[in-house]
Amino acid sequence: MDFEKEIAKRRTFGIISHPDAGKTTLTEKLLLFGGAIQEAGAVKSNKIKKSATSDFMEIERQRGISVATSVLAFNYRDRKINILDTPGHKDFAEDTFRTLTAVDSVIVVIDVAKGVEEQTEKLVEVCRMRNIPMIVFINKLDREGKDAFDLLDEVEQKLGLTVTPLSFPIGMGYDFKGIYNIYEKNINLFSGNSKQHIEDTIAFDDLDSPELEGIIGESHAHNLREYLELAGAVYPEFNKKDYLDGSLQPVFFGSALNNFGVRELLDCFIEIAPTPRPKMAEERLVNSNESDFSGFVFKIHANMDPKHRDRLAFIKIVSGTFERNTPYLHVRQDKRIKFSSPNAFFAEKKEIVDISYPGDIVGLHDTGNFKIGDTLTNGEKLNYKGIPSFSPEHFRYINNADPMKAKQLNKGIDQLMDEGVAQLFTLELNGRKVIGTVGALQYEVIQYRLEHEYGAKCTYENFPVHKACWVDPEKENEEFAEFKRIKQKYLAKDKMGQLVFLADSAFSLQMTQQKYPTVKFRFTSEKES
Ligand code: G4P
């Protein structure tokens, strides 16, 4: 019974946005409401502002902070809220995609002046494909920005969502008066200096009442009535079922910096956002209220202290309870492991915890047992479906620059790939290693980490590849044999041993497809099931 109650309390979600839309600020304000921090400015942004290694190094220096901010947990009105941090920088997009496998819902932050930006489009697309419930928060209403209806249109068009506003701005920028909360039927007036304290609201369910003029002035009252009538006619009425199955997205307006509209968002969120959702394993669908424990690794965080080369593997608990010092089955390795000091996260701290419930994240110290996507269970052989790898955009040979350190280099490359820093391809012809990444920044990060964590030196060499194409399992026919013989130079194995064709240009890919029609290519690593 307690178990079910604990599950019902959990809300595990991620905040996604284009860099600078206000994700860090909003996170901080949510923590403030939860009483998890006392003052603004306590949460350090771990974003990388420029594509510069120095920023990454700076972040690594502060790794103590960034490990803790990977999961920020707090209690609010008897709910346990887990926020999973998602890097905004595009070079780390794969990291964010993987974190999205562990959230039960997301909040999408959009800058009122910039509207829908590129990174938001990509991340929302992944959420859409997985039917993850989404709430949209339009931020920075204290600044001049786009018209509310234009923005709602843009969200629908560019993000492919069906929206319904649950709050509506009254004025904007210089003339910003506040917001009308459609969901709770009240008005929240903006005073401009509400950075720290929590706003009072004025209950207001009869919009026709002349009192509205008294509160927000004649012209705002007139506009608000008109806009709300229009919104009511244009947008579908909110219903929880559509939101939960990912077909309707409620929208809130506010200003995170001014702590304005955030309480409305949070109060609605805890009421409508899903409790830990069931998750699909290759074998079957697993429900959170099953008593047997199961969970999966969605993130691995390396320890940058060279004296302790341990890592923290982040596990999302899908079902059952995770208990300290209990042996669990590591399904891929088919062995039992127990953990004497699992970490739970609370606000910016981590602490050892005896028991965790579905929806929770635990951090397990790891000396190299885990890879992203690994499943742990009580004993059942389950394999949770992860997020597939997409074709990287950059490819380079990696060479050993210190022949005495070949072993260290190989170990370093192996472990960094297990963490999901980049993808490794080993050429069939000569065994040379090729690293594929989403952004150029990763090459510097890998080089730096190989040197500092493993004592190995590497150099890179360009390898012009247009796209990595995963080849469907080999067929024993002449066409396949010829394809392998002719394209030998471009064939490689990925980390899982799957065959990959590294097409050097779009043209060559097209020609290959035409010449060998029975050879089937996939553009992600996930096999059809
Ligand atoms: P991110 O994590 O999504 O990248 O964004 P972050 O919260 O760091 O916010 C980016 C910038 O936008 C910050 O300013 C932040 O203060 C500002 N901001 C966030 N919410 C609001 C808002 O509601 N109104 C206004 N006017 N600004 C907002 P910065 O100058 O880049 O950083 P800082 O020096 O203020 O920290």
Side-chain angles (χ1 to χ4, degrees):
M1 183 58 205
D2 271 357
F3 173 59
E4 302 261 340
K5 262 197 204 153
E6 290 293 339
I7 298 177
K9 275 164 76 171
R10 269 50 185 183
R11 301 285 184 280
T12 302
F13 75 107
I15 304 182
I16 56 176
S17 72
H18 193 86
D20 274 348
K23 183 166 70 73
T24 312
T25 315
L26 179 64
T27 307
E28 184 174 277
K29 297 300 143 99
L30 293 174
L31 288 171
L32 214 51
F33 277 105
I37 54 170
Q38 263 59 52
E39 54 181 316
V43 177
K44 297 282 172 295
S45 162
N46 67 356
K47 72 184 167 181
I48 297 172
K49 291 209 170 164
K50 295 169 237 93
S51 292
T53 330
S54 58
D55 275 336
F56 177 80
M57 301 319 167
E58 178 55 22
I59 284 160
E60 292 309 324
R61 212 177 52 68
Q62 301 176 358
R63 189 167 268 266
I65 298 166
S66 65
V67 168
T69 53
S70 294
V71 186
L72 292 157
F74 63 96
N75 292 315
Y76 180 72
R77 296 200 174 168
D78 199 32
R79 299 292 202 287
K80 162 107 190 276
I81 297 177
N82 297 311
I83 307 182
L84 306 194
D85 189 35
T86 54
H89 194 286
K90 73 172 180 16
D91 285 10
F92 291 86
E94 286 235 12
D95 219 24
T96 300
F97 292 152
R98 282 191 294 262
T99 299
L100 292 178
T101 61
V103 302
D104 296 308
S105 70
V106 301
I107 293 180
V108 186
V109 182
I110 292 174
D111 183 320
V112 70
K114 295 194 180 137
V116 173
E117 297 172 87
E118 189 196 340
Q119 202 56 16
T120 322
E121 279 185 58
K122 285 196 190 142
L123 295 171
V124 167
E125 194 184 332
V126 172
C127 297
R128 220 162 22 95
M129 277 159 46
R130 307 197 151 234
N131 300 323
I132 298 177
M134 285 181 255
I135 296 180
V136 178
F137 181 72
I138 297 185
N139 189 27
K140 308 196 185 181
L141 264 284
D142 57 316
R143 286 200 186 156
E144 288 305 320
K146 300 187 183 187
D147 168 79
F149 284 107
D150 288 350
L151 263 172
L152 293 171
D153 261 5
E154 195 178 321
V155 169
E156 292 210 317
Q157 307 275 323
K158 285 200 183 164
L159 299 179
L161 303 181
T162 305
V163 299
T164 182
L166 286 190
S167 76
F168 212 86
I170 306 168
M172 180 190 295
Y174 178 66
D175 193 26
F176 182 49
K177 284 280 175 296
I179 46 177
Y180 183 74
N181 188 332
I182 301 173
Y183 190 66
E184 290 176 1
K185 295 198 171 27
N186 58 34
I187 293 176
N188 190 352
L189 290 178
F190 181 64
S191 62
N193 60 0
S194 50
K195 285 191 185 177
Q196 305 260 339
H197 64 263
I198 293 164
E199 294 285 306
D200 285 333
T201 49
I202 305 165
F204 209 94
D205 57 3
D206 178 14
L207 282 166
D208 289 331
S209 154
E211 276 176 40
L212 188 61
E213 271 78 358
I215 300 172
I216 58 177
E218 209 163 292
S219 89
H220 281 304
H222 170 80
N223 288 343
L224 182 65
R225 287 190 190 106
E226 197 174 293
Y227 294 157
L228 289 180
E229 195 182 327
L230 186 59
V234 173
Y235 298 105
E237 203 171 317
F238 174 75
N239 77 81
K240 199 165 152 180
K241 185 188 157 294
D242 288 352
Y243 156 70
L244 287 177
D245 67 25
S247 56
L248 182 67
Q249 287 77 28
V251 180
F252 285 86
F253 292 83
S255 164
L257 185 66
N258 292 291
N259 204 0
F260 193 79
V262 178
R263 188 196 57 78
E264 286 80 352
L265 173 72
L266 182 58
D267 283 350
C268 177
F269 171 82
I270 58 163
E271 208 176 297
I272 67 171
T275 54
R277 300 207 303 168
K279 183 153 176 88
M280 203 62 191
E282 272 164 30
E283 295 75 10
R284 64 183 185 87
L285 186 73
V286 180
N287 282 306
S288 57
N289 61 2
E290 295 182 20
S291 58
D292 280 341
F293 161 73
S294 69
F296 64 99
V297 179
F298 67 95
K299 177 174 183 141
I300 294 176
H301 222 305
N303 188 338
M304 293 299 283
D305 181 349
K307 287 194 281 294
H308 307 254
R309 208 198 293 139
D310 66 335
R311 316 187 288 182
L312 207 56
F314 289 80
I315 314 264
K316 159 91 184 277
I317 298 170
V318 177
S319 64
T321 53
F322 179 93
E323 286 166 41
R324 188 151 90 101
N325 283 325
T326 307
Y328 291 116
L329 178 68
H330 184 315
V331 177
R332 182 176 54 83
Q333 293 191 340
D334 197 19
K335 70 173 184 197
R336 290 212 170 238
I337 312 181
K338 61 180 178 186
F339 303 90
S340 57
S341 51
N343 281 295
F345 304 87
F346 194 78
E348 311 129 278
K349 293 189 219 66
K350 60 182 168 59
E351 54 199 36
I352 291 176
V353 68
D354 289 326
I355 182 164
S356 305
Y357 295 90
D360 282 341
I361 311 297
V362 287
L364 303 178
H365 289 283
D366 172 42
T367 46
N369 278 317
F370 287 121
K371 276 186 194 186
I372 301 273
D374 278 347
T375 305
L376 276 181
T377 69
N378 260 2
E380 188 177 349
K381 297 217 156 141
L382 288 174
N383 289 280
Y384 281 112
K385 289 188 167 183
I387 195 133
S389 302
F390 298 94
S391 174
E393 285 169 29
H394 304 262
F395 296 82
R396 288 184 198 170
Y397 286 118
I398 180 161
N399 299 322
N400 186 4
D402 181 351
M404 305 295 287
K405 299 283 170 64
K407 230 172 110 186
Q408 285 87 333
L409 183 75
N410 286 335
K411 181 168 183 194
I413 295 177
D414 256 13
Q415 293 206 344
L416 294 185
M417 299 307 130
D418 287 351
E419 274 178 39
V421 175
Q423 293 181 54
L424 179 71
F425 301 97
T426 309
L427 290 184
E428 288 270 271
L429 188 62
N430 51 19
R432 284 191 76 181
K433 292 186 158 120
V434 173
I435 305 262
T437 66
V438 179
L441 181 57
Q442 260 102 337
Y443 290 107
E444 289 176 57
V445 170
I446 292 169
Q447 197 166 34
Y448 177 91
R449 291 192 51 192
L450 284 173
E451 193 170 337
H452 289 81
E453 289 171 51
Y454 299 90
K457 286 201 165 79
C458 74
T459 57
Y460 297 112
E461 212 178 301
N462 262 345
F463 184 46
V465 174
H466 162 67
K467 203 175 209 151
C469 319
W470 279 265
V471 184
D472 263 0
E474 297 197 22
K475 294 178 201 77
E476 304 263 331
N477 65 26
E478 256 173 53
E479 193 176 299
F480 205 92
E482 188 187 318
F483 160 74
K484 279 187 74 172
R485 191 169 49 79
I486 302 286
K487 294 293 172 191
Q488 211 177 31
K489 244 173 80 184
Y490 302 101
L491 292 179
K493 288 271 167 70
D494 73 0
K495 196 95 208 314
M496 308 302 285
Q498 297 193 70
L499 189 66
V500 182
F501 171 51
L502 301 171
D504 58 345
S505 68
F507 179 70
S508 121
L509 174 58
Q510 200 188 352
M511 293 308 289
T512 309
Q513 280 173 316
Q514 275 175 13
K515 200 159 167 211
Y516 309 105
T518 62
V519 179
K520 291 278 174 271
F521 297 121
R522 280 173 287 121
F523 300 105
T524 73
S525 66
E526 197 166 69
K527 294 193 194 96
E528 309 276 322
S529 50

